[in-house]
Structure formats: C-alpha cells, structure tokens
Amino acid sequence: MNEREVRVPALTLHHEGGIEKIQLAAFQRDGHVVVGPAYGEKKFNLISESICVAFPSRHDELSLWSLEALASGMPMIMFDLPEARWVSESASLKAKPFNLNEYSELLVMATEKKLNLKMRRAARDLASKYDWESVAKDFENYFYEIIKIEKN
C-alpha cells in the first residue's frame, strides 16, 4: 500500500469497563477528536456527520452499539472475527483478523461515495431485521428447543 494521508469524518467507539464509560471519538478534517460520552442529540449529531464506524476490536462481542450504528446507516469497518458473522458483507468491510494494512485500506475504501451509499442502505436493511418482535420470537423458539431436548 502506498503511504498517503487521508482525513475523513468517521465515528469510532471506545469503552472501558461498562456502559457508563463509553467514549465516542470523531475523525474530523483537522484530526482525531475524542468527544467523551455522547447520548441523545449529541450522539445523533456525531453519527449524522460520519461516514462509517471503525470497529477495530480484536475480541468484542459486537454490542448493542453495533446494531444502533447499523440502524443509523453506518457501515462497519472491522476485522473478520467469528463474533462478526451476523454483520453482512454488504453492510461492512472486514479485514483478515489483525491485518492492519488491509484494515487501513478498507477505511480508505469506505470513503468511496458510491460504495458508502450502497453500504448505508444495506446497514439499515440489516438492522431492520432485529426488531423486538422477531428477537423475542427467536428467543422463545430457542427456549422451546431447550425444553424439548431436556424432555428427551
């Protein structure tokens, strides 16, 4: 990869120890800015000014934040981890695990307008599959399967 500097707006998530310590950081034209916890309108504004979510975790379970980002139309840039299987290829760009060169190339690729718009639509479509009714039904079916296995 040729070295070049690319500055684009993006949204990243950093957390330490729990939900109360969630930190959002925005990449802006003048550099990386850590904005601290963001909720409500502040978080909405950060997301609306972003083009993707950089999720460089090496061991995260892809929390509710991931689904919230997808529902906001944010493509996910991540490593291709088992925990990320549920995030479709159309709504994300996934680097081979821990290949930082490939990951950085994907971050640049996410700035391509045509691809980004296509991924934004796919992100919203993916998130729409996780409404409360369908998730509750999936859990109900799972519990019935466990009960059925236990009876036998």
Side-chain angles (χ1 to χ4, degrees):
M1 179 174 121
N2 294 337
E3 285 190 33
R4 62 185 169 135
E5 184 175 322
V6 178
R7 293 179 184 256
V8 295
L11 185 63
T12 61
L13 171 71
H14 170 72
H15 66 89
E16 295 175 5
I19 193 76
E20 71 281 354
K21 297 223 176 174
I22 286 178
Q23 302 289 311
L24 295 177
F27 286 99
Q28 299 175 339
R29 293 190 188 280
D30 59 347
H32 186 254
V33 179
V34 177
V35 295
Y39 303 98
E41 189 173 338
K42 182 178 181 182
K43 182 169 59 173
F44 175 78
N45 289 336
L46 283 170
I47 291 172
S48 70
E49 295 170 1
S50 303
I51 59 167
C52 68
V53 172
F55 202 95
S57 180
R58 294 170 177 239
H59 55 79
D60 205 307
E61 69 282 353
L62 293 170
S63 63
L64 186 57
W65 157 248
S66 304
L67 191 55
E68 184 178 10
L70 291 166
S72 298
M74 291 290 102
M76 303 285 288
I77 314 306
M78 60 181 57
F79 290 113
D80 192 6
L81 302 174
E83 298 91 337
R85 283 187 306 248
W86 68 275
V87 182
S88 70
E89 299 297 322
S90 59
S92 66
L93 297 173
K94 298 178 184 177
K96 290 180 188 82
F98 322 129
N99 183 326
L100 296 180
N101 286 333
E102 183 181 4
Y103 187 85
S104 62
E105 289 172 2
L106 294 179
L107 286 172
V108 173
M109 187 184 301
T111 68
E112 296 172 8
K113 191 171 187 171
K114 188 174 181 180
L115 175 62
N116 188 271
L117 290 173
K118 183 178 176 184
M119 290 174 54
R120 283 175 176 269
R121 285 189 290 276
R124 285 187 195 95
D125 289 346
L126 175 60
S128 71
K129 295 177 184 176
Y130 294 94
D131 64 46
W132 175 250
E133 287 79 19
S134 66
V135 171
K137 188 68 174 168
D138 287 346
F139 272 106
E140 182 181 34
N141 291 337
Y142 174 70
F143 293 139
Y144 282 130
E145 283 296 314
I146 291 172
I147 291 168
K148 190 166 111 179
I149 290 169
E150 290 295 317
K151 283 184 174 181
N152 294 328

